[in-house]
């Protein structure tokens, strides 16, 4: 069960509209390494996780990613509110605008819509936690790339916060992977036992 606190995890107060910047930030909403996929990945993986501590970890981080989804959506909204027709045309925001006006739609920066094919849930402890480590690193890289393209200090402040949380999640999943390996029966784990045969 989730409890919704009606405030963002970190404040988002963007003073200036910038549809061009919004069109790249949208990738962290519904892109291949964005917050929508992350939250669904972790909240789905928790069902088959055999260890209570790791089930809790997946639930905690998956829930936090929903909060990050809300922050990224707020960023995109604030960057595109009150646009003039001229801004829409000159910023290259016209193709997005035709389909979504200024609604926040889950898609890649390239325009491809969000797809569950960008995430994986295998039910295998090692595979899922390794996937999670990679997902957090890819999200961090995307935030790094956004920072390279942004000169808006209000945006950069929020993006840096989100990037720092990806690093923390990576560290937590690393700890989780070590915990899982310690709990697994070594006779039945291929990376420990070269004669693995179930």
């Amino acid at each position: 069960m989730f409890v919704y606190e009606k405030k963002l995890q970190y404040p988002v107060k963007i003073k200036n509209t910038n549809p061009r910047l919004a069109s790249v930030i949208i990738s962290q909403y519904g892109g291949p390494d964005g917050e929508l996929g992350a939250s669904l990945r972790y909240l789905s993986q928790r069902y088959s996780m055999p260890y209570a501590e790791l089930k809790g970890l997946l639930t905690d981080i998956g829930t936090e990613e929903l909060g990050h989804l809300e922050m990224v959506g707020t960023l995109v909204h604030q960057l595109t509110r009150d646009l003039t027709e001229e801004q829409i045309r000159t910023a290259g925001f016209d193709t997005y605008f035709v389909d979504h006006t200024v609604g926040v739609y889950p898609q890649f920066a390239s325009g491809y819509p969000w797809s569950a094919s960008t995430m994986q849930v295998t039910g295998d402890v090692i595979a899922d936690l390794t996937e999670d480590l990679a997902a957090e690193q890819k999200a961090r890289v995307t935030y790094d790339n956004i920072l390279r393209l942004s000169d808006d200090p209000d945006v950069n402040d929020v993006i840096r916060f989100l990037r720092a949380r990806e690093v923390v999640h990576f560290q937590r999943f690393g700890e989780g992977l070590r915990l899982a390996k310690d709990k697994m029966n070594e006779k039945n784990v291929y990376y420990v036992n070269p004669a693995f045969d179930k």
Side-chain angles (χ1 to χ4, degrees):
M1 180 162 110
F2 302 101
V3 176
Y4 179 59
E5 189 174 340
K6 295 184 179 182
K7 69 175 190 171
L8 296 176
Q9 184 182 10
Y10 190 83
V12 178
K13 296 183 182 184
I14 309 304
K15 295 180 201 75
N16 302 311
T17 58
N18 186 335
R20 188 177 306 278
L21 189 52
S23 68
V24 296
I25 291 174
I26 197 75
S27 210
Q28 276 303 85
Y29 191 78
D33 305 307
E35 304 293 356
L36 178 58
S39 61
L40 291 176
R41 175 187 300 111
Y42 307 147
L43 292 173
S44 297
Q45 288 175 351
R46 70 190 173 139
Y47 292 106
S48 58
M49 182 57 64
Y51 308 116
E53 306 97 313
L54 298 179
K55 192 175 288 209
L57 177 67
L58 289 163
T59 302
D60 290 348
I61 295 177
T63 303
E64 184 177 349
E65 299 291 15
L66 289 172
H68 294 174
L69 181 71
E70 186 177 32
M71 289 174 63
V72 173
T74 301
L75 270 171
V76 170
H77 169 71
Q78 289 183 11
L79 286 166
T80 58
R81 66 180 184 260
D82 303 323
L83 293 176
T84 66
E85 286 184 25
E86 181 65 22
Q87 287 174 309
I88 291 165
R89 282 191 192 97
T90 60
F93 196 69
D94 50 344
T95 55
Y96 182 94
F97 183 83
V98 165
D99 292 336
H100 311 293
T101 316
V102 291
V104 179
Y105 179 76
Q107 70 174 43
F108 296 25
S110 63
Y112 186 81
W114 182 82
S115 167
S117 65
T118 62
M119 54 175 263
Q120 182 57 277
V121 179
T122 67
D124 179 274
V125 175
I126 302 299
D128 282 350
L129 290 171
T130 302
E131 162 93 4
D132 301 343
L133 284 161
E136 293 298 325
Q137 283 298 90
K138 290 185 284 183
R140 182 202 48 82
V141 168
T142 304
Y143 282 126
D144 285 342
N145 291 340
I146 291 168
L147 286 169
R148 289 183 181 100
L149 298 174
S150 173
D151 60 0
D152 185 321
D154 296 330
V155 169
N156 293 353
D157 181 52
V158 176
I159 297 297
R160 283 189 184 99
F161 170 83
L162 291 166
R163 180 183 62 179
R165 295 306 300 160
E166 304 298 348
V167 172
V168 170
H169 294 168
F170 178 82
Q171 293 166 340
R172 299 274 318 274
F173 282 130
E175 293 163 2
L177 184 58
R178 283 190 295 280
L179 177 69
K181 288 178 177 180
D182 289 345
K183 287 180 169 283
M184 296 176 90
N185 179 344
E186 291 187 4
K187 292 180 184 171
N188 292 319
V189 181
Y190 65 89
Y191 67 84
V192 174
N193 183 359
F196 173 68
D197 185 21
K198 195 165 184 170

